[in-house]
mmCIF file of all heavy atoms in Angstrom:
data_model
loop_
_atom_site.group_PDB
_atom_site.id
_atom_site.type_symbol
_atom_site.label_atom_id
_atom_site.label_comp_id
_atom_site.label_asym_id
_atom_site.label_seq_id
_atom_site.Cartn_x
_atom_site.Cartn_y
_atom_site.Cartn_z
ATOM 1 N N VAL A 41 40.625 202.565 71.044
ATOM 2 C CA VAL A 41 40.093 203.844 70.514
ATOM 3 C C VAL A 41 41.201 204.602 69.947
ATOM 4 O O VAL A 41 41.069 205.238 68.867
ATOM 5 C CB VAL A 41 39.445 204.615 71.745
ATOM 6 C CG1 VAL A 41 39.264 206.106 71.230
ATOM 7 C CG2 VAL A 41 38.248 203.910 72.118
ATOM 8 N N PHE A 42 42.424 204.667 70.549
ATOM 9 C CA PHE A 42 43.458 205.463 70.080
ATOM 10 C C PHE A 42 43.931 204.930 68.648
ATOM 11 O O PHE A 42 44.078 205.826 67.670
ATOM 12 C CB PHE A 42 44.737 205.431 70.980
ATOM 13 C CG PHE A 42 44.546 206.166 72.275
ATOM 14 C CD1 PHE A 42 44.007 205.495 73.359
ATOM 15 C CD2 PHE A 42 44.905 207.523 72.353
ATOM 16 C CE1 PHE A 42 43.951 206.322 74.565
ATOM 17 C CE2 PHE A 42 44.746 208.240 73.491
ATOM 18 C CZ PHE A 42 44.275 207.626 74.674
ATOM 19 N N VAL A 43 43.978 203.665 68.600
ATOM 20 C CA VAL A 43 44.376 203.064 67.284
ATOM 21 C C VAL A 43 43.360 203.305 66.147
ATOM 22 O O VAL A 43 43.656 203.657 65.047
ATOM 23 C CB VAL A 43 44.668 201.461 67.462
ATOM 24 C CG1 VAL A 43 44.912 200.850 66.086
ATOM 25 C CG2 VAL A 43 45.923 201.276 68.438
ATOM 26 N N GLU A 44 42.078 203.170 66.629
ATOM 27 C CA GLU A 44 41.012 203.292 65.600
ATOM 28 C C GLU A 44 41.000 204.830 65.093
ATOM 29 O O GLU A 44 40.709 204.989 63.921
ATOM 30 C CB GLU A 44 39.671 202.808 66.165
ATOM 31 C CG GLU A 44 38.605 202.904 65.232
ATOM 32 C CD GLU A 44 38.729 202.028 63.993
ATOM 33 O OE1 GLU A 44 39.543 201.142 63.936
ATOM 34 O OE2 GLU A 44 38.046 202.238 62.961
ATOM 35 N N LEU A 45 41.167 205.771 66.024
ATOM 36 C CA LEU A 45 41.059 207.127 65.578
ATOM 37 C C LEU A 45 42.230 207.588 64.567
ATOM 38 O O LEU A 45 42.029 208.196 63.623
ATOM 39 C CB LEU A 45 41.107 208.077 66.830
ATOM 40 C CG LEU A 45 39.878 207.967 67.730
ATOM 41 C CD1 LEU A 45 39.994 209.043 68.846
ATOM 42 C CD2 LEU A 45 38.447 208.245 66.939
ATOM 43 N N GLU A 46 43.352 206.840 64.906
ATOM 44 C CA GLU A 46 44.479 207.031 63.931
ATOM 45 C C GLU A 46 44.163 206.353 62.626
ATOM 46 O O GLU A 46 44.522 206.966 61.589
ATOM 47 C CB GLU A 46 45.748 206.295 64.530
ATOM 48 C CG GLU A 46 46.346 206.949 65.860
ATOM 49 C CD GLU A 46 47.413 208.043 65.498
ATOM 50 O OE1 GLU A 46 47.468 208.511 64.196
ATOM 51 O OE2 GLU A 46 47.983 208.544 66.362
ATOM 52 N N ARG A 47 43.558 205.250 62.584
ATOM 53 C CA ARG A 47 43.176 204.601 61.365
ATOM 54 C C ARG A 47 42.179 205.459 60.515
ATOM 55 O O ARG A 47 42.332 205.695 59.277
ATOM 56 C CB ARG A 47 42.564 203.333 61.614
ATOM 57 C CG ARG A 47 43.489 202.203 62.071
ATOM 58 C CD ARG A 47 42.768 200.848 62.345
ATOM 59 N NE ARG A 47 43.707 199.880 62.834
ATOM 60 C CZ ARG A 47 43.296 198.838 63.554
ATOM 61 N NH1 ARG A 47 42.054 198.703 64.024
ATOM 62 N NH2 ARG A 47 44.135 197.897 63.950
ATOM 63 N N MET A 48 41.285 206.029 61.297
ATOM 64 C CA MET A 48 40.286 206.958 60.627
ATOM 65 C C MET A 48 40.938 208.191 59.970
ATOM 66 O O MET A 48 40.650 208.585 58.763
ATOM 67 C CB MET A 48 39.329 207.434 61.636
ATOM 68 C CG MET A 48 38.364 206.241 62.072
ATOM 69 S SD MET A 48 37.194 206.920 63.364
ATOM 70 C CE MET A 48 35.957 207.622 62.179
ATOM 71 N N LEU A 49 41.941 208.766 60.641
ATOM 72 C CA LEU A 49 42.682 209.796 60.027
ATOM 73 C C LEU A 49 43.453 209.369 58.767
ATOM 74 O O LEU A 49 43.515 210.104 57.715
ATOM 75 C CB LEU A 49 43.722 210.383 60.982
ATOM 76 C CG LEU A 49 43.122 211.379 62.143
ATOM 77 C CD1 LEU A 49 44.218 211.642 63.272
ATOM 78 C CD2 LEU A 49 42.577 212.516 61.523
ATOM 79 N N GLN A 50 44.067 208.213 58.867
ATOM 80 C CA GLN A 50 44.782 207.631 57.682
ATOM 81 C C GLN A 50 43.826 207.397 56.481
ATOM 82 O O GLN A 50 44.254 207.553 55.377
ATOM 83 C CB GLN A 50 45.429 206.356 57.984
ATOM 84 C CG GLN A 50 46.717 206.538 59.109
ATOM 85 C CD GLN A 50 47.178 205.289 59.731
ATOM 86 O OE1 GLN A 50 46.776 204.269 59.245
ATOM 87 N NE2 GLN A 50 48.082 205.395 60.655
ATOM 88 N N ARG A 51 42.630 207.074 56.822
ATOM 89 C CA ARG A 51 41.619 206.850 55.711
ATOM 90 C C ARG A 51 40.989 208.226 55.292
ATOM 91 O O ARG A 51 40.088 208.190 54.352
ATOM 92 C CB ARG A 51 40.478 205.935 56.221
ATOM 93 C CG ARG A 51 40.936 204.576 56.598
ATOM 94 C CD ARG A 51 39.721 203.562 56.634
ATOM 95 N NE ARG A 51 38.864 203.927 57.842
ATOM 96 C CZ ARG A 51 38.799 203.302 59.020
ATOM 97 N NH1 ARG A 51 39.768 202.297 59.209
ATOM 98 N NH2 ARG A 51 38.123 203.674 60.027
ATOM 99 N N GLY A 52 41.483 209.227 55.849
ATOM 100 C CA GLY A 52 40.992 210.526 55.445
ATOM 101 C C GLY A 52 39.443 210.843 55.870
ATOM 102 O O GLY A 52 38.922 211.758 55.323
ATOM 103 N N GLU A 53 39.085 210.183 56.913
ATOM 104 C CA GLU A 53 37.575 210.403 57.391
ATOM 105 C C GLU A 53 37.555 211.672 58.184
ATOM 106 O O GLU A 53 38.469 212.140 58.862
ATOM 107 C CB GLU A 53 37.206 209.096 58.095
ATOM 108 C CG GLU A 53 37.186 207.877 57.355
ATOM 109 C CD GLU A 53 36.618 206.735 58.093
ATOM 110 O OE1 GLU A 53 35.705 206.967 58.972
ATOM 111 O OE2 GLU A 53 37.033 205.609 57.832
ATOM 112 N N LYS A 54 36.412 212.242 58.230
ATOM 113 C CA LYS A 54 36.033 213.436 58.950
ATOM 114 C C LYS A 54 34.685 213.289 59.658
ATOM 115 O O LYS A 54 33.912 212.429 59.317
ATOM 116 C CB LYS A 54 35.956 214.694 58.093
ATOM 117 C CG LYS A 54 37.329 215.106 57.492
ATOM 118 C CD LYS A 54 38.188 215.606 58.475
ATOM 119 C CE LYS A 54 39.572 216.025 57.901
ATOM 120 N NZ LYS A 54 40.385 216.736 58.838
ATOM 121 N N ALA A 55 34.490 214.208 60.684
ATOM 122 C CA ALA A 55 33.318 214.066 61.502
ATOM 123 C C ALA A 55 32.880 215.526 61.793
ATOM 124 O O ALA A 55 33.663 216.399 61.884
ATOM 125 C CB ALA A 55 33.426 213.274 62.713
ATOM 126 N N ASP A 56 31.574 215.623 62.127
ATOM 127 C CA ASP A 56 30.931 216.870 62.543
ATOM 128 C C ASP A 56 31.005 217.114 64.069
ATOM 129 O O ASP A 56 31.064 218.076 64.634
ATOM 130 C CB ASP A 56 29.581 217.078 62.182
ATOM 131 C CG ASP A 56 29.491 216.993 60.588
ATOM 132 O OD1 ASP A 56 30.034 217.913 59.901
ATOM 133 O OD2 ASP A 56 28.819 216.110 60.070
ATOM 134 N N ILE A 57 30.979 215.915 64.842
ATOM 135 C CA ILE A 57 31.004 215.852 66.245
ATOM 136 C C ILE A 57 31.838 214.734 66.584
ATOM 137 O O ILE A 57 31.708 213.560 66.223
ATOM 138 C CB ILE A 57 29.575 215.608 66.891
ATOM 139 C CG1 ILE A 57 28.624 216.857 66.481
ATOM 140 C CG2 ILE A 57 29.701 215.575 68.371
ATOM 141 C CD1 ILE A 57 27.266 216.606 67.047
ATOM 142 N N VAL A 58 32.814 214.976 67.580
ATOM 143 C CA VAL A 58 33.645 213.993 68.104
ATOM 144 C C VAL A 58 33.484 214.006 69.630
ATOM 145 O O VAL A 58 33.722 215.045 70.272
ATOM 146 C CB VAL A 58 35.149 214.132 67.780
ATOM 147 C CG1 VAL A 58 35.981 213.079 68.531
ATOM 148 C CG2 VAL A 58 35.334 214.008 66.204
ATOM 149 N N VAL A 59 33.004 212.868 70.181
ATOM 150 C CA VAL A 59 32.835 212.818 71.724
ATOM 151 C C VAL A 59 34.013 211.950 72.144
ATOM 152 O O VAL A 59 34.140 210.764 71.750
ATOM 153 C CB VAL A 59 31.522 212.106 72.013
ATOM 154 C CG1 VAL A 59 31.293 211.928 73.467
ATOM 155 C CG2 VAL A 59 30.334 212.861 71.408
ATOM 156 N N LEU A 60 34.779 212.428 73.127
ATOM 157 C CA LEU A 60 35.851 211.686 73.721
ATOM 158 C C LEU A 60 35.497 211.586 75.211
ATOM 159 O O LEU A 60 35.492 212.428 75.962
ATOM 160 C CB LEU A 60 37.087 212.445 73.604
ATOM 161 C CG LEU A 60 37.588 212.896 72.169
ATOM 162 C CD1 LEU A 60 38.814 213.783 72.155
ATOM 163 C CD2 LEU A 60 37.868 211.612 71.370
ATOM 164 N N ASP A 61 35.082 210.343 75.615
ATOM 165 C CA ASP A 61 34.702 210.092 77.066
ATOM 166 C C ASP A 61 35.453 208.934 77.596
ATOM 167 O O ASP A 61 34.949 207.878 77.822
ATOM 168 C CB ASP A 61 33.200 209.848 77.034
ATOM 169 C CG ASP A 61 32.631 209.668 78.455
ATOM 170 O OD1 ASP A 61 33.156 210.121 79.424
ATOM 171 O OD2 ASP A 61 31.578 208.990 78.609
ATOM 172 N N PRO A 62 36.770 209.088 77.852
ATOM 173 C CA PRO A 62 37.581 207.977 78.245
ATOM 174 C C PRO A 62 37.429 207.545 79.677
ATOM 175 O O PRO A 62 36.827 208.324 80.421
ATOM 176 C CB PRO A 62 38.974 208.549 77.965
ATOM 177 C CG PRO A 62 38.880 210.043 78.324
ATOM 178 C CD PRO A 62 37.481 210.341 77.742
ATOM 179 N N PRO A 63 37.859 206.361 80.067
ATOM 180 C CA PRO A 63 37.778 205.974 81.397
ATOM 181 C C PRO A 63 38.775 206.823 82.295
ATOM 182 O O PRO A 63 39.546 207.619 81.576
ATOM 183 C CB PRO A 63 38.269 204.460 81.379
ATOM 184 C CG PRO A 63 39.042 204.318 80.212
ATOM 185 C CD PRO A 63 38.472 205.339 79.193
ATOM 186 N N LYS A 64 38.777 206.631 83.556
ATOM 187 C CA LYS A 64 39.697 207.291 84.451
ATOM 188 C C LYS A 64 41.066 207.081 84.059
ATOM 189 O O LYS A 64 41.538 205.795 84.126
ATOM 190 C CB LYS A 64 39.411 206.867 85.941
ATOM 191 C CG LYS A 64 40.214 207.844 86.917
ATOM 192 C CD LYS A 64 39.874 207.321 88.335
ATOM 193 C CE LYS A 64 38.485 207.662 88.771
ATOM 194 N NZ LYS A 64 38.268 207.374 90.174
ATOM 195 N N PHE A 65 41.882 208.031 83.793
ATOM 196 C CA PHE A 65 43.342 207.868 83.387
ATOM 197 C C PHE A 65 44.193 208.074 84.678
ATOM 198 O O PHE A 65 45.304 207.429 84.612
ATOM 199 C CB PHE A 65 43.710 208.945 82.368
ATOM 200 C CG PHE A 65 43.307 208.511 80.951
ATOM 201 C CD1 PHE A 65 43.482 209.602 79.977
ATOM 202 C CD2 PHE A 65 42.809 207.420 80.656
ATOM 203 C CE1 PHE A 65 43.117 209.407 78.633
ATOM 204 C CE2 PHE A 65 42.388 207.251 79.317
ATOM 205 C CZ PHE A 65 42.496 208.161 78.357
ATOM 206 N N ALA A 66 43.807 208.711 85.586
ATOM 207 C CA ALA A 66 44.646 209.003 86.851
ATOM 208 C C ALA A 66 43.897 208.467 88.071
ATOM 209 O O ALA A 66 42.975 209.120 88.582
ATOM 210 C CB ALA A 66 44.916 210.431 86.908
ATOM 211 N N ARG A 67 44.369 207.416 88.733
ATOM 212 C CA ARG A 67 43.802 206.791 89.877
ATOM 213 C C ARG A 67 44.572 207.267 91.049
ATOM 214 O O ARG A 67 44.197 206.937 92.236
ATOM 215 C CB ARG A 67 43.624 205.337 89.766
ATOM 216 C CG ARG A 67 42.613 204.879 88.736
ATOM 217 C CD ARG A 67 42.410 203.437 88.744
ATOM 218 N NE ARG A 67 41.482 202.986 87.758
ATOM 219 C CZ ARG A 67 40.111 202.967 87.919
ATOM 220 N NH1 ARG A 67 39.696 203.413 89.180
ATOM 221 N NH2 ARG A 67 39.252 202.690 87.000
ATOM 222 N N ALA A 68 45.822 207.851 90.812
ATOM 223 C CA ALA A 68 46.649 208.305 91.998
ATOM 224 C C ALA A 68 47.231 209.606 91.665
ATOM 225 O O ALA A 68 47.487 209.786 90.394
ATOM 226 C CB ALA A 68 47.689 207.224 92.366
ATOM 227 N N ARG A 69 47.720 210.443 92.486
ATOM 228 C CA ARG A 69 48.241 211.717 92.156
ATOM 229 C C ARG A 69 49.573 211.531 91.329
ATOM 230 O O ARG A 69 49.873 212.425 90.399
ATOM 231 C CB ARG A 69 48.601 212.399 93.477
ATOM 232 C CG ARG A 69 48.766 214.035 93.248
ATOM 233 C CD ARG A 69 48.666 214.705 94.570
ATOM 234 N NE ARG A 69 47.225 214.695 95.065
ATOM 235 C CZ ARG A 69 46.233 215.356 94.588
ATOM 236 N NH1 ARG A 69 46.375 216.239 93.531
ATOM 237 N NH2 ARG A 69 45.078 215.376 95.090
ATOM 238 N N ASN A 70 50.310 210.556 91.522
ATOM 239 C CA ASN A 70 51.551 210.317 90.745
ATOM 240 C C ASN A 70 51.327 209.955 89.304
ATOM 241 O O ASN A 70 52.266 209.887 88.550
ATOM 242 C CB ASN A 70 52.478 209.367 91.449
ATOM 243 C CG ASN A 70 51.975 208.078 91.563
ATOM 244 O OD1 ASN A 70 50.863 207.660 91.086
ATOM 245 N ND2 ASN A 70 52.657 207.206 92.285
ATOM 246 N N ALA A 71 49.970 209.725 88.922
ATOM 247 C CA ALA A 71 49.660 209.335 87.550
ATOM 248 C C ALA A 71 49.019 210.517 86.755
ATOM 249 O O ALA A 71 48.672 210.260 85.543
ATOM 250 C CB ALA A 71 48.666 208.203 87.619
ATOM 251 N N VAL A 72 49.055 211.760 87.378
ATOM 252 C CA VAL A 72 48.359 212.811 86.682
ATOM 253 C C VAL A 72 49.088 213.259 85.408
ATOM 254 O O VAL A 72 48.469 213.586 84.332
ATOM 255 C CB VAL A 72 48.249 213.991 87.654
ATOM 256 C CG1 VAL A 72 47.772 215.278 86.861
ATOM 257 C CG2 VAL A 72 47.133 213.617 88.759
ATOM 258 N N ASN A 73 50.440 213.301 85.472
ATOM 259 C CA ASN A 73 51.212 213.845 84.332
ATOM 260 C C ASN A 73 51.020 212.857 83.188
ATOM 261 O O ASN A 73 50.865 213.184 82.008
ATOM 262 C CB ASN A 73 52.748 213.840 84.738
ATOM 263 C CG ASN A 73 52.917 215.173 85.625
ATOM 264 O OD1 ASN A 73 52.185 216.153 85.560
ATOM 265 N ND2 ASN A 73 54.018 215.201 86.254
ATOM 266 N N GLU A 74 51.044 211.528 83.491
ATOM 267 C CA GLU A 74 50.799 210.503 82.439
ATOM 268 C C GLU A 74 49.394 210.591 81.888
ATOM 269 O O GLU A 74 49.145 210.430 80.677
ATOM 270 C CB GLU A 74 51.072 209.078 82.917
ATOM 271 C CG GLU A 74 51.300 208.051 81.882
ATOM 272 C CD GLU A 74 52.534 208.303 81.038
ATOM 273 O OE1 GLU A 74 53.461 208.826 81.489
ATOM 274 O OE2 GLU A 74 52.430 207.854 79.825
ATOM 275 N N ALA A 75 48.436 210.798 82.826
ATOM 276 C CA ALA A 75 47.016 211.066 82.377
ATOM 277 C C ALA A 75 46.934 212.220 81.351
ATOM 278 O O ALA A 75 46.228 212.158 80.375
ATOM 279 C CB ALA A 75 46.146 211.262 83.476
ATOM 280 N N LEU A 76 47.545 213.235 81.660
ATOM 281 C CA LEU A 76 47.484 214.520 80.730
ATOM 282 C C LEU A 76 48.091 214.158 79.331
ATOM 283 O O LEU A 76 47.619 214.793 78.395
ATOM 284 C CB LEU A 76 48.240 215.645 81.397
ATOM 285 C CG LEU A 76 47.512 216.235 82.677
ATOM 286 C CD1 LEU A 76 48.441 217.318 83.256
ATOM 287 C CD2 LEU A 76 46.155 216.833 82.305
ATOM 288 N N LYS A 77 49.023 213.254 79.348
ATOM 289 C CA LYS A 77 49.518 212.866 78.012
ATOM 290 C C LYS A 77 48.564 212.113 77.275
ATOM 291 O O LYS A 77 48.386 212.354 76.064
ATOM 292 C CB LYS A 77 50.755 212.000 78.253
ATOM 293 C CG LYS A 77 52.094 212.748 78.753
ATOM 294 C CD LYS A 77 53.193 211.759 78.926
ATOM 295 C CE LYS A 77 54.331 212.463 79.549
ATOM 296 N NZ LYS A 77 55.588 211.483 79.733
ATOM 297 N N GLY A 78 47.778 211.294 77.888
ATOM 298 C CA GLY A 78 46.688 210.602 77.297
ATOM 299 C C GLY A 78 45.620 211.499 76.706
ATOM 300 O O GLY A 78 45.141 211.398 75.612
ATOM 301 N N TYR A 79 45.256 212.542 77.597
ATOM 302 C CA TYR A 79 44.204 213.513 77.178
ATOM 303 C C TYR A 79 44.752 214.272 76.012
ATOM 304 O O TYR A 79 44.075 214.722 75.090
ATOM 305 C CB TYR A 79 43.788 214.472 78.316
ATOM 306 C CG TYR A 79 43.037 213.726 79.390
ATOM 307 C CD1 TYR A 79 43.580 213.643 80.672
ATOM 308 C CD2 TYR A 79 41.796 213.187 79.135
ATOM 309 C CE1 TYR A 79 42.809 212.966 81.660
ATOM 310 C CE2 TYR A 79 41.129 212.506 80.109
ATOM 311 C CZ TYR A 79 41.592 212.423 81.377
ATOM 312 O OH TYR A 79 40.890 211.740 82.246
ATOM 313 N N ARG A 80 46.067 214.703 76.004
ATOM 314 C CA ARG A 80 46.662 215.456 74.997
ATOM 315 C C ARG A 80 46.486 214.803 73.623
ATOM 316 O O ARG A 80 46.209 215.326 72.573
ATOM 317 C CB ARG A 80 48.129 215.755 75.259
ATOM 318 C CG ARG A 80 48.841 216.550 74.201
ATOM 319 C CD ARG A 80 50.374 216.687 74.559
ATOM 320 N NE ARG A 80 50.507 217.213 75.866
ATOM 321 C CZ ARG A 80 50.601 218.490 76.213
ATOM 322 N NH1 ARG A 80 50.505 219.384 75.217
ATOM 323 N NH2 ARG A 80 50.828 218.960 77.445
#
């Protein structure tokens, strides 16, 4: 998904609605900071 969204930007594509529903990024408390980077 990250790669494809980057490609879409490079192609100059636009959308009216973007739904971002990723899987669980943080399965342990020590993974929260890394998860926030993913959401960012």
Side-chain angles (χ1 to χ4, degrees):
V41 169
F42 289 93
V43 173
E44 184 60 22
L45 295 181
E46 290 276 11
R47 286 176 184 156
M48 295 180 75
L49 283 173
Q50 291 167 8
R51 295 194 295 261
E53 298 185 30
K54 291 291 182 180
D56 302 296
I57 299 177
V58 174
V59 179
L60 304 172
D61 185 21
K64 186 183 290 187
F65 283 170
R67 295 186 176 275
R69 196 162 294 280
N70 60 8
V72 168
N73 287 338
E74 196 62 32
L76 289 174
K77 290 179 183 178
Y79 291 119
R80 182 187 302 274

